[in-house]
Amino acid sequence: MADRHDHPGERAADDPIKLLAIRDTPLSLDEVFRTVGDDAAGGIALFVGTVRNHDGGADVDALGYSCHPTAERELRRVAEKVAANHPVRALAAVHRVGDLRVGDLAVIVAVSCPHRAEAFEACRRLIDDLKHEVPIWKHQSFSDGTEEWVGAC
């Protein structure tokens, strides 16, 4: 009998990046979840970032995201790095730009891996690196009349 760790399903897929996008339309949890489905995956980790009604102790009235023209290229670079360092079976990341309301979905990332711990780790790396390395900016307007730009998500 072959060693269980030698099974092809225990390794990363040859082409695990299934969906990368920056969109000005509402995001779909179902689309992202379906995209990362893989018969060899024992774990799917999914992170959803939503627009909250406060930040830094102040009430948020409005929020908008914008991005640099290289944002999708940088998103691919981040995804490729995650896929190279984890046994990813499938990966997806979508981020919204434009004006959003409280409760709207701003970003969804998902990763499937052979095991849950790997999926959690890869998903965490994906959202953290996206947040720090992809040139997407958030503009917040507060109820007290002040505004703030926040770099990279």
Side-chain angles (χ1 to χ4, degrees), residues 78 126-134 136 138 150-153:
V78 164
L126 180 58
I127 188 60
D128 286 352
D129 288 356
L130 184 160
K131 185 173 174 96
H132 291 102
E133 299 178 27
V134 178
I136 298 172
K138 177 171 62 175
V150 180
C153 293

Side-chain angles (χ1 to χ4, degrees), residues 20-121:
L20 298 175
I22 296 175
R23 298 179 174 162
D24 61 1
T25 57
L27 306 181
S28 166
L29 281 167
D30 290 338
E31 175 194 23
V32 173
F33 183 73
R34 279 192 314 271
T35 298
V36 297
D38 186 286
D39 289 344
I44 295 174
L46 185 128
F47 172 82
V48 180
T50 59
V51 177
R52 63 180 178 261
N53 67 357
H54 65 94
D55 192 32
D59 292 333
V60 173
D61 285 345
L63 184 142
Y65 286 99
S66 59
C67 68
H68 190 271
T70 63
E72 283 195 3
R73 183 175 67 220
E74 289 303 307
L75 179 57
R76 175 159 295 280
R77 184 187 58 74
V78 164
E80 288 171 349
K81 183 170 59 169
V82 169
N85 291 310
H86 301 278
V88 174
R89 300 297 306 170
L91 177 151
V94 292
H95 201 295
R96 180 100 183 260
V97 292
D99 295 328
L100 283 76
R101 296 184 315 221
V102 170
D104 283 348
L105 305 182
V107 61
I108 306 171
V109 300
V111 177
S112 62
C113 292
H115 304 280
R116 73 177 174 274
E118 298 160 341
F120 278 124
E121 186 178 327

